[in-house]
Short mmCIF file of all heavy atoms in Angstrom, two decimals:
data_model
loop_
_atom_site.label_atom_id
_atom_site.label_comp_id
_atom_site.label_asym_id
_atom_site.label_seq_id
_atom_site.Cartn_x
_atom_site.Cartn_y
_atom_site.Cartn_z
N GLY A 304 -6.00 -1.63 12.58
CA GLY A 304 -4.63 -2.06 12.78
C GLY A 304 -4.49 -3.51 13.17
O GLY A 304 -5.44 -4.16 13.61
N GLY A 305 -3.28 -4.05 13.00
CA GLY A 305 -2.96 -5.39 13.48
C GLY A 305 -3.42 -6.54 12.63
O GLY A 305 -3.13 -7.69 12.96
N ARG A 306 -4.10 -6.29 11.52
CA ARG A 306 -4.61 -7.40 10.70
C ARG A 306 -4.62 -6.99 9.24
O ARG A 306 -5.04 -5.88 8.89
CB ARG A 306 -6.02 -7.81 11.12
CG ARG A 306 -6.41 -9.20 10.66
CD ARG A 306 -7.89 -9.46 10.89
NE ARG A 306 -8.69 -8.70 9.96
CZ ARG A 306 -8.94 -9.08 8.70
NH1 ARG A 306 -8.43 -10.20 8.24
NH2 ARG A 306 -9.67 -8.35 7.91
N GLY A 307 -4.12 -7.88 8.39
CA GLY A 307 -4.11 -7.61 6.97
C GLY A 307 -2.82 -8.08 6.33
O GLY A 307 -1.91 -8.56 7.00
N SER A 308 -2.76 -7.95 5.01
CA SER A 308 -1.62 -8.43 4.25
C SER A 308 -1.23 -7.42 3.19
O SER A 308 -2.11 -6.84 2.53
CB SER A 308 -1.95 -9.78 3.60
OG SER A 308 -1.02 -10.11 2.60
N ILE A 309 0.07 -7.20 3.03
CA ILE A 309 0.55 -6.30 1.99
C ILE A 309 0.19 -6.83 0.60
O ILE A 309 -0.02 -6.07 -0.35
CB ILE A 309 2.09 -6.12 2.11
CG1 ILE A 309 2.56 -4.88 1.35
CG2 ILE A 309 2.82 -7.34 1.65
CD1 ILE A 309 2.32 -3.59 2.04
N LEU A 310 0.08 -8.15 0.50
CA LEU A 310 -0.34 -8.76 -0.76
C LEU A 310 -1.77 -8.37 -1.09
O LEU A 310 -2.13 -8.14 -2.25
CB LEU A 310 -0.21 -10.29 -0.67
CG LEU A 310 -0.29 -11.07 -1.98
CD1 LEU A 310 0.81 -10.64 -2.93
CD2 LEU A 310 -0.19 -12.57 -1.71
N GLY A 311 -2.62 -8.27 -0.06
CA GLY A 311 -3.99 -7.82 -0.26
C GLY A 311 -4.04 -6.41 -0.81
O GLY A 311 -4.88 -6.09 -1.67
N THR A 312 -3.14 -5.55 -0.33
CA THR A 312 -3.08 -4.18 -0.85
C THR A 312 -2.74 -4.18 -2.34
O THR A 312 -3.31 -3.41 -3.12
CB THR A 312 -2.02 -3.37 -0.08
OG1 THR A 312 -2.44 -3.22 1.28
CG2 THR A 312 -1.82 -2.00 -0.69
N PHE A 313 -1.82 -5.04 -2.73
CA PHE A 313 -1.46 -5.17 -4.14
C PHE A 313 -2.67 -5.59 -4.97
O PHE A 313 -2.95 -5.03 -6.03
CB PHE A 313 -0.33 -6.19 -4.29
CG PHE A 313 0.10 -6.46 -5.70
CD1 PHE A 313 0.60 -5.45 -6.50
CD2 PHE A 313 -0.01 -7.74 -6.24
CE1 PHE A 313 1.00 -5.70 -7.81
CE2 PHE A 313 0.38 -8.00 -7.54
CZ PHE A 313 0.89 -6.97 -8.33
N PHE A 314 -3.42 -6.57 -4.45
CA PHE A 314 -4.65 -6.98 -5.14
C PHE A 314 -5.65 -5.84 -5.19
O PHE A 314 -6.36 -5.66 -6.19
CB PHE A 314 -5.27 -8.19 -4.43
CG PHE A 314 -4.44 -9.44 -4.50
CD1 PHE A 314 -4.47 -10.37 -3.47
CD2 PHE A 314 -3.62 -9.69 -5.59
CE1 PHE A 314 -3.71 -11.52 -3.52
CE2 PHE A 314 -2.85 -10.84 -5.65
CZ PHE A 314 -2.89 -11.76 -4.61
N GLY A 315 -5.74 -5.06 -4.10
CA GLY A 315 -6.66 -3.93 -4.06
C GLY A 315 -6.34 -2.89 -5.13
O GLY A 315 -7.24 -2.36 -5.79
N ALA A 316 -5.04 -2.60 -5.31
CA ALA A 316 -4.63 -1.66 -6.36
C ALA A 316 -4.98 -2.20 -7.74
O ALA A 316 -5.44 -1.46 -8.62
CB ALA A 316 -3.13 -1.38 -6.26
N LEU A 317 -4.78 -3.50 -7.94
CA LEU A 317 -5.11 -4.12 -9.23
C LEU A 317 -6.61 -4.09 -9.49
O LEU A 317 -7.04 -3.91 -10.64
CB LEU A 317 -4.60 -5.56 -9.27
CG LEU A 317 -3.09 -5.75 -9.36
CD1 LEU A 317 -2.74 -7.23 -9.34
CD2 LEU A 317 -2.53 -5.09 -10.61
N ILE A 318 -7.42 -4.26 -8.44
CA ILE A 318 -8.88 -4.21 -8.60
C ILE A 318 -9.29 -2.85 -9.14
O ILE A 318 -10.11 -2.75 -10.07
CB ILE A 318 -9.58 -4.50 -7.26
CG1 ILE A 318 -9.44 -5.98 -6.89
CG2 ILE A 318 -11.07 -4.14 -7.33
CD1 ILE A 318 -9.87 -6.31 -5.48
N VAL A 319 -8.74 -1.79 -8.57
CA VAL A 319 -9.06 -0.44 -9.04
C VAL A 319 -8.63 -0.29 -10.50
O VAL A 319 -9.37 0.27 -11.33
CB VAL A 319 -8.36 0.62 -8.17
CG1 VAL A 319 -8.58 2.02 -8.74
CG2 VAL A 319 -8.88 0.55 -6.74
N GLY A 320 -7.45 -0.80 -10.84
CA GLY A 320 -6.98 -0.72 -12.22
C GLY A 320 -7.85 -1.49 -13.19
O GLY A 320 -8.14 -1.02 -14.30
N VAL A 321 -8.30 -2.68 -12.77
CA VAL A 321 -9.16 -3.50 -13.63
C VAL A 321 -10.50 -2.81 -13.87
O VAL A 321 -10.99 -2.74 -15.01
CB VAL A 321 -9.38 -4.90 -13.00
CG1 VAL A 321 -10.51 -5.63 -13.71
CG2 VAL A 321 -8.10 -5.71 -13.07
N PHE A 322 -11.10 -2.27 -12.80
CA PHE A 322 -12.38 -1.58 -12.95
C PHE A 322 -12.23 -0.34 -13.83
O PHE A 322 -13.09 -0.07 -14.68
CB PHE A 322 -12.92 -1.17 -11.57
CG PHE A 322 -13.79 -2.21 -10.94
CD1 PHE A 322 -13.24 -3.29 -10.26
CD2 PHE A 322 -15.17 -2.14 -11.02
CE1 PHE A 322 -14.02 -4.26 -9.69
CE2 PHE A 322 -15.98 -3.12 -10.45
CZ PHE A 322 -15.41 -4.18 -9.78
N THR A 323 -11.16 0.41 -13.63
CA THR A 323 -10.96 1.64 -14.41
C THR A 323 -10.82 1.33 -15.89
O THR A 323 -11.49 1.94 -16.74
CB THR A 323 -9.71 2.38 -13.90
OG1 THR A 323 -9.86 2.69 -12.51
CG2 THR A 323 -9.51 3.68 -14.69
N LEU A 324 -9.94 0.37 -16.23
CA LEU A 324 -9.72 0.04 -17.64
C LEU A 324 -10.95 -0.65 -18.24
O LEU A 324 -11.35 -0.34 -19.37
CB LEU A 324 -8.49 -0.85 -17.78
CG LEU A 324 -8.15 -1.28 -19.22
CD1 LEU A 324 -7.80 -0.06 -20.07
CD2 LEU A 324 -7.00 -2.28 -19.24
N GLY A 325 -11.55 -1.58 -17.49
CA GLY A 325 -12.70 -2.32 -18.02
C GLY A 325 -13.86 -1.41 -18.36
O GLY A 325 -14.47 -1.52 -19.44
N LEU A 326 -14.19 -0.50 -17.45
CA LEU A 326 -15.30 0.42 -17.71
C LEU A 326 -14.97 1.40 -18.83
O LEU A 326 -15.85 1.79 -19.60
CB LEU A 326 -15.65 1.18 -16.43
CG LEU A 326 -16.27 0.33 -15.31
CD1 LEU A 326 -16.43 1.15 -14.04
CD2 LEU A 326 -17.64 -0.20 -15.75
N ARG A 327 -13.71 1.78 -18.93
CA ARG A 327 -13.31 2.68 -20.02
C ARG A 327 -13.47 2.00 -21.37
O ARG A 327 -13.97 2.59 -22.33
CB ARG A 327 -11.86 3.11 -19.82
CG ARG A 327 -11.38 4.15 -20.84
CD ARG A 327 -9.92 4.48 -20.62
NE ARG A 327 -9.67 4.95 -19.26
CZ ARG A 327 -8.46 5.12 -18.75
NH1 ARG A 327 -7.39 4.80 -19.48
NH2 ARG A 327 -8.32 5.57 -17.53
N LEU A 328 -13.06 0.73 -21.45
CA LEU A 328 -13.20 -0.02 -22.70
C LEU A 328 -14.66 -0.27 -23.03
O LEU A 328 -15.03 -0.38 -24.22
CB LEU A 328 -12.46 -1.35 -22.61
CG LEU A 328 -10.93 -1.28 -22.55
CD1 LEU A 328 -10.32 -2.66 -22.36
CD2 LEU A 328 -10.37 -0.63 -23.83
N LEU A 329 -15.51 -0.35 -22.02
CA LEU A 329 -16.95 -0.52 -22.25
C LEU A 329 -17.62 0.79 -22.66
O LEU A 329 -18.79 0.78 -23.06
CB LEU A 329 -17.63 -1.06 -20.99
CG LEU A 329 -17.39 -2.54 -20.66
CD1 LEU A 329 -17.98 -2.87 -19.30
CD2 LEU A 329 -17.99 -3.44 -21.73
N GLY A 330 -16.90 1.89 -22.57
CA GLY A 330 -17.46 3.19 -22.93
C GLY A 330 -18.33 3.79 -21.86
O GLY A 330 -19.11 4.72 -22.14
N ALA A 331 -18.22 3.31 -20.64
CA ALA A 331 -19.04 3.82 -19.54
C ALA A 331 -18.52 5.17 -19.05
O ALA A 331 -17.33 5.48 -19.20
CB ALA A 331 -19.05 2.83 -18.38
N ASP A 332 -19.41 5.94 -18.47
CA ASP A 332 -19.02 7.23 -17.89
C ASP A 332 -18.03 6.99 -16.75
O ASP A 332 -18.14 6.03 -16.00
CB ASP A 332 -20.27 7.95 -17.37
CG ASP A 332 -19.97 9.39 -17.00
OD1 ASP A 332 -19.28 9.61 -15.99
OD2 ASP A 332 -20.45 10.30 -17.71
N ALA A 333 -17.07 7.91 -16.62
CA ALA A 333 -16.03 7.76 -15.59
C ALA A 333 -16.62 7.74 -14.19
O ALA A 333 -16.02 7.15 -13.27
CB ALA A 333 -15.02 8.90 -15.71
N GLN A 334 -17.79 8.35 -14.00
CA GLN A 334 -18.40 8.38 -12.67
C GLN A 334 -18.79 7.00 -12.18
O GLN A 334 -18.86 6.76 -10.97
CB GLN A 334 -19.64 9.30 -12.69
CG GLN A 334 -19.35 10.74 -13.12
CD GLN A 334 -18.23 11.37 -12.31
OE1 GLN A 334 -18.16 11.20 -11.09
NE2 GLN A 334 -17.36 12.11 -12.98
N TRP A 335 -19.04 6.06 -13.12
CA TRP A 335 -19.38 4.70 -12.71
C TRP A 335 -18.20 4.05 -12.01
O TRP A 335 -18.38 3.21 -11.12
CB TRP A 335 -19.80 3.87 -13.93
CG TRP A 335 -21.20 4.13 -14.36
CD1 TRP A 335 -21.62 4.89 -15.42
CD2 TRP A 335 -22.40 3.66 -13.72
NE1 TRP A 335 -22.99 4.92 -15.48
CE2 TRP A 335 -23.50 4.17 -14.46
CE3 TRP A 335 -22.64 2.86 -12.60
CZ2 TRP A 335 -24.81 3.91 -14.10
CZ3 TRP A 335 -23.96 2.59 -12.25
CH2 TRP A 335 -25.02 3.11 -12.99
N THR A 336 -16.98 4.42 -12.42
CA THR A 336 -15.80 3.88 -11.75
C THR A 336 -15.78 4.29 -10.29
O THR A 336 -15.56 3.47 -9.39
CB THR A 336 -14.52 4.37 -12.45
OG1 THR A 336 -14.56 4.00 -13.83
CG2 THR A 336 -13.28 3.77 -11.80
N TYR A 337 -16.01 5.58 -10.03
CA TYR A 337 -16.02 6.09 -8.65
C TYR A 337 -17.15 5.44 -7.84
O TYR A 337 -16.97 5.12 -6.66
CB TYR A 337 -16.16 7.61 -8.64
CG TYR A 337 -15.01 8.32 -9.28
CD1 TYR A 337 -15.18 9.04 -10.46
CD2 TYR A 337 -13.74 8.29 -8.71
CE1 TYR A 337 -14.12 9.71 -11.05
CE2 TYR A 337 -12.67 8.95 -9.30
CZ TYR A 337 -12.87 9.66 -10.47
OH TYR A 337 -11.82 10.30 -11.05
N LEU A 338 -18.31 5.26 -8.49
CA LEU A 338 -19.45 4.67 -7.80
C LEU A 338 -19.14 3.24 -7.36
O LEU A 338 -19.35 2.87 -6.19
CB LEU A 338 -20.67 4.70 -8.71
CG LEU A 338 -22.01 4.28 -8.09
CD1 LEU A 338 -23.16 5.00 -8.78
CD2 LEU A 338 -22.24 2.76 -8.21
N LEU A 339 -18.60 2.42 -8.28
CA LEU A 339 -18.33 1.03 -7.96
C LEU A 339 -17.20 0.90 -6.95
O LEU A 339 -17.24 0.04 -6.06
CB LEU A 339 -18.00 0.27 -9.24
CG LEU A 339 -19.16 0.09 -10.22
CD1 LEU A 339 -18.70 -0.58 -11.50
CD2 LEU A 339 -20.27 -0.74 -9.58
N ILE A 340 -16.17 1.74 -7.08
CA ILE A 340 -15.07 1.70 -6.11
C ILE A 340 -15.56 2.12 -4.73
O ILE A 340 -15.16 1.55 -3.70
CB ILE A 340 -13.91 2.59 -6.58
CG1 ILE A 340 -13.25 1.97 -7.82
CG2 ILE A 340 -12.87 2.77 -5.47
CD1 ILE A 340 -12.18 2.81 -8.45
N GLY A 341 -16.47 3.10 -4.67
CA GLY A 341 -17.06 3.50 -3.40
C GLY A 341 -17.82 2.36 -2.76
O GLY A 341 -17.73 2.13 -1.54
N VAL A 342 -18.57 1.61 -3.56
CA VAL A 342 -19.29 0.43 -3.05
C VAL A 342 -18.31 -0.61 -2.53
O VAL A 342 -18.52 -1.21 -1.46
CB VAL A 342 -20.18 -0.18 -4.16
CG1 VAL A 342 -20.74 -1.52 -3.71
CG2 VAL A 342 -21.31 0.78 -4.53
N LEU A 343 -17.20 -0.81 -3.25
CA LEU A 343 -16.20 -1.78 -2.82
C LEU A 343 -15.57 -1.38 -1.49
O LEU A 343 -15.29 -2.23 -0.64
CB LEU A 343 -15.11 -1.92 -3.89
CG LEU A 343 -15.46 -2.75 -5.13
CD1 LEU A 343 -14.32 -2.69 -6.14
CD2 LEU A 343 -15.73 -4.20 -4.74
N ILE A 344 -15.32 -0.08 -1.30
CA ILE A 344 -14.71 0.40 -0.05
C ILE A 344 -15.63 0.08 1.13
O ILE A 344 -15.18 -0.46 2.15
CB ILE A 344 -14.43 1.92 -0.13
CG1 ILE A 344 -13.31 2.20 -1.14
CG2 ILE A 344 -14.06 2.47 1.24
CD1 ILE A 344 -13.09 3.67 -1.39
N ILE A 345 -16.91 0.43 1.00
CA ILE A 345 -17.86 0.18 2.08
C ILE A 345 -18.01 -1.31 2.33
O ILE A 345 -18.04 -1.78 3.48
CB ILE A 345 -19.23 0.82 1.76
CG1 ILE A 345 -19.09 2.35 1.67
CG2 ILE A 345 -20.27 0.44 2.81
CD1 ILE A 345 -20.33 3.05 1.21
N ALA A 346 -18.07 -2.09 1.24
CA ALA A 346 -18.19 -3.55 1.38
C ALA A 346 -16.96 -4.13 2.06
O ALA A 346 -17.07 -5.04 2.90
CB ALA A 346 -18.39 -4.19 0.01
#
Side-chain angles (χ1 to χ4, degrees):
R306 200 190 72 82
S308 165
I309 197 78
L310 194 60
T312 295
F313 178 61
F314 294 149
L317 289 178
I318 288 169
V319 175
V321 167
F322 270 81
T323 302
L324 180 63
L326 291 173
R327 185 182 303 170
L328 292 176
L329 285 173
D332 191 290
Q334 302 307 318
W335 281 103
T336 303
Y337 296 114
L338 188 150
L339 292 175
I340 291 175
V342 170
L343 283 175
I344 291 173
I345 296 173

